Amino acid sequence: MQKTVAIICGGGPAPGINTVISTVAKTFLSDGYRVLGVHRGYAGLFQSNSDFIEFDFEHADRIFSRGGSTLRMSRFKPKDSDFSPRFFVEQNIALLVTIGGDDTASTANRLTKYLKSHNVSIANVHVPKTIDNDLPLPDRNPTFGFHSAKDEGVRIGNTLYEDARTTGSWFVLSVMGRSAGHLAFGIGTSCHLPIIIIPEMFNNTKPTFQKILDLIISSILKRRVIGYDYGVAIISEGVFHILGDDEIQKSGVRFTYDAHGHPELGNVSKAHIFNVLLQERLREVGVELRSRPVELGYELRCCRPIGFDLTLCTLLGYGVKKVYEQGLTGCIVSANSNGDIVPLFLDGLQNEDGNIPPRLVDMNSEISKLGFQNLHYLKPKDFIAAREYVENPERFDFSRILEWR
């Protein structure tokens, strides 16, 4: 019976998923393998009638540069009691290729052990996926989809900035990013936005809503001092993850949580929350300003991948075949800065609690230092001019709020 490769996708979409699927499918098809794509991740894999399609070259070739995923995705995380060897035996699966985050990868490792205990031997290779760019890959290489999402975010950010200039107003732009601010920082610096707020910048002080709002007001006042009445404040949604429970309750929002225990931030508009609170804070300090909220998240996940990610995802797809032929299993496919395939293993990335610590924006890197130095915010030399707009402008001293000195 013909050997078969099965591909599943877990979590949410990211630009480049179809490129990985296409490359894996075409590479294995050319060597005589049968290639199946399973819809709805692990949920589709273990239902009574597994929901899958069989790839041919034409299908694989057609999806190569498309955004989204030709395979339906799911965040379902099965328990060991959900596992079954049926699909793998019936379809003669030799290799399971998973595309997703660390939950998807760890589940594949559990599944492989389960199958082995039932005398079914398969290999599994994982391709890591996260727009957030927070996986600790070698050489701080980006995760696939990050640059495409950033590119789309820059397009939208530049448009908002032009709107702000045209209308003499401000936008509060919230950008996806669960625990790291790579996406917000990348978009903000690329668009030369006047104020960027990411979780990593609260490295010396406890974050609160008031501090976040006062950082925005610091930028608004600085812009007025230098003669500009418009701007865009970009905020990473990751700041919600570092706020204390008491602060979250102050916002009046009741979060729901997904199957992995993560707050479902997609159910609420962070930009709306910050904008409403900003307007309240501005009234408190006597500043009149028109601002509008913009949420940036789902708009980025299924955009068409740019050339960088097309190349990277092609390399990762080739890498699946390479590590499989080397006899490796339970590994993560990565590439270093030279373009060499580097297999990683979960136990090498996980901490003692079994979690993978997120890669954060390095606040000590030169790009971070220069990026934050060149934002617009109040400094002591601005206090006299700022008194035209507020009493006691010292409370909006950017460095004092963050305790950076």
Side-chain angles (χ1 to χ4, degrees):
M1 188 174 179
Q2 191 177 18
K3 285 187 177 181
T4 304
V5 176
I7 307 171
I8 68 169
C9 301
I17 288 177
N18 275 335
T19 310
V20 175
I21 295 172
S22 171
T23 305
V24 170
K26 290 198 286 186
T27 303
F28 277 94
L29 285 170
S30 68
D31 265 5
Y33 285 79
R34 183 168 169 248
V35 180
L36 306 180
V38 181
H39 287 300
R40 299 188 301 109
Y42 290 113
L45 190 62
F46 296 117
Q47 66 183 40
S48 56
N49 293 310
S50 298
D51 186 7
F52 65 88
I53 58 173
E54 183 167 350
F55 283 100
D56 57 16
F57 180 89
E58 182 179 358
H59 182 179
D61 196 46
R62 188 171 62 247
I63 65 172
F64 171 73
S65 61
R66 287 184 180 177
S69 172
T70 192
L71 300 177
R72 294 284 181 88
M73 304 184 70
S74 169
R75 296 188 183 276
F76 175 72
K77 183 177 181 179
K79 306 181 185 68
D80 286 2
S81 58
D82 295 316
F83 290 158
S84 168
R86 179 191 54 80
F87 172 80
F88 299 92
V89 173
E90 291 179 355
Q91 303 300 331
N92 195 34
I93 304 298
L95 169 66
L96 175 65
V97 179
T98 55
I99 304 170
D102 55 302
D103 284 321
T104 304
S106 61
T107 299
N109 286 347
R110 286 194 294 116
L111 172 59
T112 303
K113 292 177 182 177
Y114 165 86
L115 293 173
K116 188 174 182 179
S117 70
H118 286 71
N119 299 314
V120 178
S121 180
I122 70 165
N124 74 279
V125 177
H126 182 73
V127 183
K129 166 200 63 68
T130 170
I131 287 177
D132 296 344
N133 197 34
D134 60 356
L135 190 67
L137 299 180
D139 302 333
R140 292 191 70 85
N141 276 354
T143 55
F144 86 73
F146 168 71
H147 279 295
S148 296
K150 185 180 75 171
D151 191 69
E152 182 70 6
V154 168
R155 184 186 66 80
I156 295 171
N158 281 331
T159 301
L160 287 177
Y161 192 72
E162 193 60 46
D163 193 307
R165 184 190 353 252
T166 301
T167 59
S169 60
W170 276 73
F171 287 95
V172 176
L173 175 61
S174 176
V175 178
M176 65 189 302
R178 179 172 293 155
S179 57
H182 297 286
L183 198 53
F185 182 76
I187 294 170
T189 52
S190 297
C191 295
H192 281 196
L193 300 184
I195 182 66
I196 300 169
I197 299 176
I198 61 175
E200 292 90 338
M201 65 197 297
F202 294 93
N203 49 4
N204 289 334
T205 188
K206 180 181 178 180
T208 64
F209 276 116
Q210 181 163 320
K211 289 176 184 177
I212 294 167
L213 300 173
D214 285 354
L215 291 172
I216 300 174
I217 294 174
S218 179
S219 184
I220 290 169
L221 294 174
K222 174 68 173 187
R223 297 277 283 187
R224 288 194 172 182
V225 165
I226 61 178
Y228 302 105
D229 62 350
Y230 63 89
V232 176
I234 187 168
I235 309 174
S236 170
E237 72 173 12
V239 297
F240 268 95
H241 289 278
I242 60 171
L243 288 169
D245 291 341
D246 55 336
E247 285 293 315
I248 294 293
Q249 291 171 4
K250 286 180 186 177
S251 72
V253 178
R254 298 178 65 181
F255 287 103
T256 57
Y257 294 81
D258 65 19
H260 308 308
H262 303 307
E264 293 182 313
L265 296 178
N267 285 347
V268 297
S269 170
K270 284 70 64 181
H272 175 77
I273 294 169
F274 281 120
N275 190 62
V276 169
L277 295 176
L278 175 63
Q279 287 295 323
E280 292 176 356
R281 181 68 174 144
L282 287 169
R283 283 193 291 270
E284 289 176 8
V285 301
V287 174
E288 291 187 8
L289 179 82
R290 179 175 178 265
S291 63
R292 293 290 182 268
V294 176
E295 192 80 7
L296 193 54
Y298 290 106
E299 297 85 348
L300 308 180
R301 305 195 308 168
C302 286
C303 64
R304 185 178 288 269
I306 63 172
F308 180 94
D309 280 320
L310 290 172
T311 301
L312 175 58
C313 292
T314 295
L315 177 60
L316 295 176
Y318 289 153
V320 170
K321 185 80 165 2
K322 177 181 178 179
V323 299
Y324 172 67
E325 290 179 339
Q326 290 176 336
L328 298 177
T329 184
C331 65
I332 297 170
V333 175
S334 179
N336 64 20
S337 56
N338 291 325
D340 303 317
I341 292 299
V342 179
L344 306 173
F345 293 87
L346 276 178
D347 57 4
L349 299 174
Q350 293 170 332
N351 58 22
E352 58 186 18
D353 297 323
N355 300 316
I356 298 178
R359 175 175 63 189
L360 305 178
V361 173
D362 182 1
M363 295 300 293
N364 292 317
S365 67
E366 188 165 28
I367 187 173
S368 295
K369 290 179 179 178
L370 292 174
F372 280 102
Q373 285 173 10
N374 288 282
L375 298 179
H376 285 163
Y377 48 79
L378 284 187
K379 302 175 182 178
K381 66 179 182 179
D382 304 310
F383 292 162
I384 293 175
R387 287 194 179 94
E388 179 182 346
Y389 307 105
V390 294
E391 296 180 2
N392 190 18
E394 291 82 1
R395 61 183 159 174
F396 300 108
D397 181 340
F398 187 87
S399 296
R400 183 192 63 80
I401 294 170
L402 293 171
E403 299 182 24
W404 277 4
R405 57 169 178 248

